[in-house]
Amino acid sequence: MKPYTMYINGRFVDAKSGKRMNVINPATEEIIATVPEGDTMDAELAAKAARKAFDSGEWPSLTHQARGRLLFKLAELVRKNKPRLAKLESMNNGKPLIESEFDIDDVATCFEYYGGLATKIYGEVAPVPDNAISLILKEPIGVAAGIIPWNYPLLMAAWKLAPALCAGCTCILKPASVTPLTALELAKLIEEAGFPKGVVNIITGGGATVGMALASSRLVDKIAITGSVATGREIMKTAAETNLKKVTLELGGKSANIFFADSDFEAAIDGALFGIFPNQGEICSAGSRILVEKSMLDKFVNAMVKKTKKIKLGDPLKRDTKMGPLVSLDQYKRVMKYIEIGKREGAKVCCGGQRPKNFKKGYFMEPTIFVKVNNKMRIAQEEIFGPVVTVIPFKDEEEAIRIANDSPYGLAGAVWTRDIFKAFRVVKKVRAGILWVNTMQPTFVEAPWGGYKQSGGGRELSHYGLEEYMQVKQVHINLNEAPIGWY
Ligand code: NAD
């Protein structure tokens, strides 16, 4: 069993308290590693290191080319270590190896993208009257803390670190307590790439301790959280009550995947499943509400059920596995609780709904489809974050849009139809930050990501994601040689 260390100020260290936490493989329920259980003291040490690396100018004053080169180097090291990182991700998170491999490629691409963007940060000149020049400079915000969830552990780390480092910020990253391993491996690659000490600090520990310490630290200028609405709310409140640090929130979702009767049927069934069942349904943008035009409801559900029953559950490390276990016992219990809530509400499980037979160990759960659902039920309003989908019929376009928008969330959505005019009418009316047409889930680092309503605020990825780590300085240069002449 590996005793991992945290990464603070360029050193691999234990928690000051000496405490450690176990890391579990959700497929076997075995302890696979231990990591330091950091607390407020460790968070403050990491914040001090990041503050020093920023204030000394060591990182923000490095040339943009040099910052870019380090990000490229990190991307190269991630690619070189892909087999090892992908395996570790699957062992810690439970996702099938093939999905972890996709994730690791995306991690490298994310570092590459922001490595390239580092040399393309331009300011502007404002069109003020002739007797002045007004320069608009883009400057890094300062010390950026990133708090991430367990569903895409290394990818979420890259989404936080890459734009922040590109902007010239120094960073503290806190991975989720249940999935810290690949982030701690990333720390070793950051060291190997040659980042100056203190520029990136990676600390492990609980949300209520380490996470909260970062949210309340006056040494931190910016905090970006990907997690649940409750955590986002807590962090925003704490940031407001301390030093009003800038906040980016990437929170939950309950996205509508809308199917009109004129869509390509085979592609639609595939898209309904792909919208919810990868990553065990632990996807923020999951199409967890499938809205189907009434005229094809029965045919659609039957086809979905038939295909869903063929999804192969099993050892995440086997190449033919299509679904692994849920990430933890807590998450397994949460999802099972929602199955019971749905049944009590009068919805009907037409596929799955229980632990698969013959699985003695692991937090496995069958892919589950609920029918006889109305959108007011808790299973249609609350984020379950597991392989559970609700099917809701609609009679026409107007009703589909109304149901899609009847949610506190607004992260994503998809619409399936061969009618491009209809697709665009729906896209424009659904209140969500990411909309797909005739597909669901493809995500590109070049395009912005983030939610409307309670799904969050701010954007990640693309140049929009970079802006979240920069602030604007306006510099007015006087060209008027005469005194102002007021007094
Ligand atoms: P969570 O909110 O429980 O935890 C997220 C992170 O916040 C963890 O690192 C946790 O330790 C930390 N944390 C918890 N309480 C804290 C507190 N009081 N102060 C500071 N930090 C705290 O979420 P989770 O269960 O790990 O992840 C699932 C959630 O993440 C879902 O709601 C999902 O939709 C969301 N998510 C959103 C996106 C997106 O891009 N919008 C992506 C992935 C996941």
Side-chain angles (χ1 to χ4, degrees), residues 149-165:
W150 42 256
N151 60 338
Y152 291 91
L154 198 57
L155 189 58
M156 292 297 106
W159 283 25
K160 295 283 176 278
L161 293 177
L165 293 168

Side-chain angles (χ1 to χ4, degrees), residues 146-152 156 159-160 174-178 205-215 223 225-232 234-235 238 249-253 282-285 331 334 383 385 409 411 434 449-451 455-456 460:
I147 299 185
I148 55 172
W150 42 256
N151 60 338
Y152 291 91
M156 292 297 106
W159 283 25
K160 295 283 176 278
K174 190 202 94 60
S177 320
V178 289
T209 49
V210 173
M212 210 14 83
L214 293 174
I223 191 152
I225 155 88
T226 299
S228 60
V229 170
T231 305
E234 199 61 30
I235 285 178
T238 308
L249 303 172
E250 292 290 343
L251 309 178
E282 296 161 335
I283 316 174
C284 54
S285 56
Q331 193 60 17
R334 176 189 160 90
E383 189 184 38
F385 220 55
Y409 293 108
L411 185 58
I434 306 143
W449 183 272
S455 288
E460 293 200 295

Side-chain angles (χ1 to χ4, degrees), residues 150-426:
W150 42 256
N151 60 338
Y152 291 91
L154 198 57
L155 189 58
M156 292 297 106
W159 283 25
K160 295 283 176 278
L161 293 177
L165 293 168
C166 170
C169 292
T170 56
C171 303
I172 308 143
L173 181 81
K174 190 202 94 60
S177 320
V178 289
T179 55
L181 298 186
T182 47
L184 293 177
E185 288 294 337
L186 184 71
K188 297 177 193 165
L189 302 183
I190 286 167
E191 176 71 15
E192 189 180 340
F195 283 78
K197 71 175 183 185
V199 170
V200 182
N201 304 274
I202 301 185
I203 52 174
T204 46
T209 49
V210 173
M212 210 14 83
L214 293 174
S216 54
S217 172
R218 290 174 193 274
L219 300 175
V220 173
D221 301 300
K222 150 102 202 186
I223 191 152
I225 155 88
T226 299
S228 60
V229 170
T231 305
R233 192 169 276 133
E234 199 61 30
I235 285 178
M236 203 169 196
K237 201 166 76 188
T238 308
E241 283 167 355
T242 51
N243 60 343
L244 271 176
K245 54 180 70 62
K246 313 283 178 284
V247 179
T248 303
L249 303 172
E250 292 290 343
L251 309 178
K254 195 75 191 177
S255 301
N257 199 359
I258 307 170
F259 296 89
F260 286 97
D262 65 353
S263 54
D264 174 330
F265 191 76
E266 287 305 311
I269 297 301
D270 224 44
L273 267 51
F274 197 72
I276 179 72
F277 292 138
N279 214 43
Q280 296 72 241
E282 296 161 335
I283 316 174
C284 54
S285 56
S288 50
R289 289 184 300 150
I290 291 184
L291 276 45
V292 184
E293 193 162 353
K294 256 182 198 149
S295 59
M296 65 163 179
L297 181 66
D298 291 344
K299 186 177 165 208
F300 197 92
V301 171
N302 289 341
M304 260 183 83
V305 169
K306 205 167 152 203
K307 265 201 151 171
T308 300
K309 285 190 169 156
K310 291 191 183 142
I311 293 175
K312 189 163 174 5
L313 274 84
D315 179 354
L317 298 182
K318 287 205 171 138
R319 289 217 161 262
D320 60 345
T321 294
K322 283 280 162 41
M323 189 179 280
L326 296 176
V327 72
S328 64
L329 182 59
D330 280 352
Q331 193 60 17
Y332 174 84
K333 285 183 181 162
R334 176 189 160 90
V335 174
M336 283 302 188
K337 189 187 83 186
Y338 273 105
I339 302 287
E340 291 315 309
I341 291 173
K343 287 181 192 163
R344 275 205 305 276
E345 286 178 310
K348 184 171 165 262
V349 172
C350 67
C351 177
Q354 51 196 349
R355 186 184 168 78
K357 294 184 184 58
N358 307 327
F359 279 65
K360 298 272 174 286
K361 281 254 162 32
Y363 312 125
F364 290 91
M365 153 91 210
E366 287 175 345
T368 301
I369 302 172
F370 267 112
V371 289
K372 305 248 179 271
V373 178
N374 83 58
N375 198 54
K376 294 289 178 212
M377 292 177 177
R378 281 182 67 189
I379 54 165
Q381 286 291 314
E382 297 174 20
E383 189 184 38
I384 300 174
F385 220 55
V388 181
V389 72
T390 54
V391 180
I392 305 170
F394 66 85
K395 68 172 186 305
D396 57 18
E397 194 177 316
E398 198 185 320
E399 192 178 39
I401 293 165
R402 188 182 55 69
I403 298 172
N405 284 335
D406 179 14
S407 168
Y409 293 108
L411 185 58
V415 51
W416 298 72
T417 170
R418 285 197 171 98
D419 178 345
I420 189 71
F421 301 104
K422 179 156 63 181
F424 244 79
R425 285 196 302 272
V426 175

